[in-house]
């Protein structure tokens, strides 16, 4: 069972998560989400427990509980919603088009 874990301290490591959630069952994976550009934690993670029963036990025990000075948000992870491609820019290009343009007299050069 995959869990969403939010409101994490920016100092939390994947090992910290592994240790905390291992109290409630076997942790298959603990993945801290990081900002692509800075490499810093984004304050949330996904923890995969080996069974639904272990996942439910972790949710019951940790939801709203203090962890490293923050009250955790722990719930079952939902599938990622489809988002438009292109990073929100809509695929538009805002680059310059080079010089030129129309001549005010309409004459051509030969």
């Amino acid at each position: 069972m995959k869990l969403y874990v939010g409101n994490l301290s920016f100092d939390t490591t994947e090992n910290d998560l592994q240790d905390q959630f291992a109290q409630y069952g076997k942790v298959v994976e603990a993945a801290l989400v990081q900002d692509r550009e800075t490499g810093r934690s984004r304050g949330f993670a996904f923890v995969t427990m080996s069974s639904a029963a272990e996942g439910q036990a972790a949710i019951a025990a940790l939801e709203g509980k203090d962890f490293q000075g923050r009250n955790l948000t722990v719930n079952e992870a939902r599938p990622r919603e489809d988002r438009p491609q292109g990073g929100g820019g809509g695929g538009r290009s805002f680059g310059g088009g080079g010089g030129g343009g129309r001549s005010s007299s309409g004459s051509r050069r030969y």
Side-chain angles (χ1 to χ4, degrees):
M1 174 182 218
K2 192 170 193 175
L3 306 176
Y4 165 84
V5 184
N7 200 32
L8 292 170
S9 162
F10 294 118
D11 297 326
T12 299
T13 67
E14 289 177 351
N15 285 337
D16 294 335
L17 290 171
Q18 177 91 23
D19 293 345
Q20 184 69 19
F21 281 79
Q23 299 173 54
Y24 307 99
K26 182 178 180 207
V27 176
V28 176
E29 180 184 28
L32 197 60
V33 179
Q34 297 177 327
D35 184 279
R36 285 185 208 150
E37 294 179 18
T38 65
R40 282 194 55 196
S41 168
R42 291 187 59 197
F44 68 97
F46 293 97
V47 175
T48 305
M49 304 296 288
S50 66
S51 73
E54 292 170 350
Q56 290 298 334
I59 291 170
L62 297 173
E63 169 60 29
K65 298 294 190 250
D66 178 78
F67 179 64
Q68 297 182 342
R70 308 286 299 261
N71 292 336
L72 292 180
T73 298
V74 184
N75 51 49
E76 186 172 354
R78 294 185 298 268
R80 189 174 184 168
E81 294 180 13
D82 290 334
R83 294 187 300 197
Q85 295 293 319
R92 294 181 297 236
S93 171
F94 295 102
R102 290 188 190 159
S103 167
S104 60
S105 66
S107 62
R108 294 184 182 161
R109 288 185 165 184
Y110 293 119

